[in-house]
Amino acid sequence: EPEVTQTPSHQVTQMGQEVILRCVPISNHLYFYWYRQILGQKVEFLVSFYNNEISEKSEIFDDQFSVERPDGSNFTLKIRSTKLEDSAMYFCASSERQGASNQPQHFGDGTRLSIL
Amino acid sequence: AQKITQTQPGMFVQEKEAVTLDCTYDTSDPSYGLFWYKQPSSGEMIFLIYQGSYDQQNATEGRYSLNFQKARKSANLVISASQLGDSAMYFCANGGPTDKLIFGTGTRLQVFP
């Protein structure tokens, strides 16, 4: 079964450093998402992306965050200057169509980001 | 605004028994979806089952079924014949006309022999 793959599985970074989290969505999916889960808390939406543009973002997704689809397969989340509170599990997800009401979003295994 | 409530922080069930995980939702959207995801201790999020707001029948996927009661705004997950491998966190989520899923706080299920 096709799946979303994320690399690395665990990233340790010094506070203030830039970090890039990578994702390969399911190949025929056109809509991509990033979510985060702070340890012990619920999963929170960050951003959705379609046709090389952000289609929706949450208040968490501030100027420190950016997303990009640098080629035909990868989808990346960049955090420019990491803070301690950025420590979390980051999930990439993808779906075939737009909208979250009528189809599942398929999640990757996540990248655990630890900021020191 | 969308909201998902999972009132059971933890549940225990004996192997081979059925268990119901509760989920209530609040949304003003006429069209929405309800989803359940499983998160094992290894951390990944696994999609289990989906119910659309206009679906007349309750969704089923193998041992998983969704008890959808629209008037009560509940979408409980029923796992039949529990297995040890079902031990995990379970998250209910709501999707509306926008792109984002809104998740509940989760229920930790432990299956014992």
Side-chain angles (χ1 to χ4, degrees):
Chain A
E1 186 174 323
E3 57 183 29
V4 176
T5 57
Q6 290 186 243
T7 55
S9 55
H10 192 190
Q11 174 83 44
V12 182
T13 303
Q14 291 285 337
M15 188 172 60
Q17 296 296 305
E18 174 183 286
V19 66
I20 297 176
L21 309 183
R22 291 182 167 80
C23 169
V24 178
I26 294 173
S27 61
N28 65 331
H29 286 185
L30 300 177
Y31 296 86
F32 315 122
Y33 314 87
W34 284 101
Y35 289 80
R36 81 170 184 192
Q37 184 183 31
I38 294 171
L39 187 64
Q41 298 186 23
K42 60 182 174 181
V43 178
E44 301 172 290
F45 171 80
L46 291 178
V47 66
S48 59
F49 189 87
Y50 168 69
N51 200 25
N52 284 318
E53 288 185 348
I54 290 174
S55 38
E56 186 177 353
K57 61 182 181 178
S58 71
E59 60 274 10
I60 303 168
F61 194 88
D62 62 21
D63 291 344
Q64 293 297 314
F65 292 89
S66 62
V67 288
E68 191 180 31
R69 188 155 163 83
D71 54 45
S73 59
N74 289 284
F75 177 51
T76 63
L77 174 70
K78 181 194 291 186
I79 309 175
R80 257 180 277 281
S81 177
T82 50
K83 303 187 283 282
L84 292 176
E85 54 265 36
D86 294 328
S87 295
M89 180 78 98
Y90 288 81
F91 290 102
C92 174
S94 70
S95 65
E96 287 184 59
R97 304 179 301 277
Q98 189 176 23
S101 66
N102 60 357
Q103 56 170 344
Q105 294 175 10
H106 295 272
F107 283 67
D109 289 353
T111 293
R112 184 167 298 284
L113 178 62
S114 300
I115 308 300
L116 305 180
Chain B
Q2 298 162 268
K3 186 179 178 183
I4 290 283
T5 303
Q6 294 181 255
T7 57
Q8 305 155 315
M11 289 285 285
F12 288 89
V13 66
Q14 190 164 32
E15 205 176 3
K16 299 178 187 174
E17 296 295 309
V19 63
T20 298
L21 307 184
D22 294 341
C23 172
T24 57
Y25 62 93
D26 190 11
T27 180
S28 57
D29 299 313
S31 176
Y32 53 89
L34 296 154
F35 305 83
W36 278 92
Y37 287 83
K38 173 184 178 181
Q39 187 177 42
S41 57
S42 46
E44 67 268 32
M45 291 286 285
I46 303 166
F47 165 69
L48 295 178
I49 196 166
Y50 156 76
Q51 179 84 43
S53 58
Y54 292 118
D55 292 344
Q56 296 296 314
Q57 304 221 349
N58 287 342
T60 60
E61 287 286 347
R63 293 186 299 111
Y64 304 109
S65 60
L66 204 152
N67 184 0
F68 181 47
Q69 298 189 40
K70 197 169 181 177
R72 297 180 63 183
K73 293 193 172 182
S74 73
N76 299 339
L77 177 70
V78 181
I79 306 175
S80 62
S82 297
Q83 302 171 357
L84 295 177
D86 294 334
S87 295
M89 281 289 287
Y90 288 81
F91 290 96
C92 181
N94 173 226
T98 66
D99 296 338
K100 63 185 174 190
L101 289 175
I102 303 297
F103 284 83
T105 51
T107 295
R108 182 171 298 282
L109 176 67
Q110 295 195 54
V111 182
F112 60 93

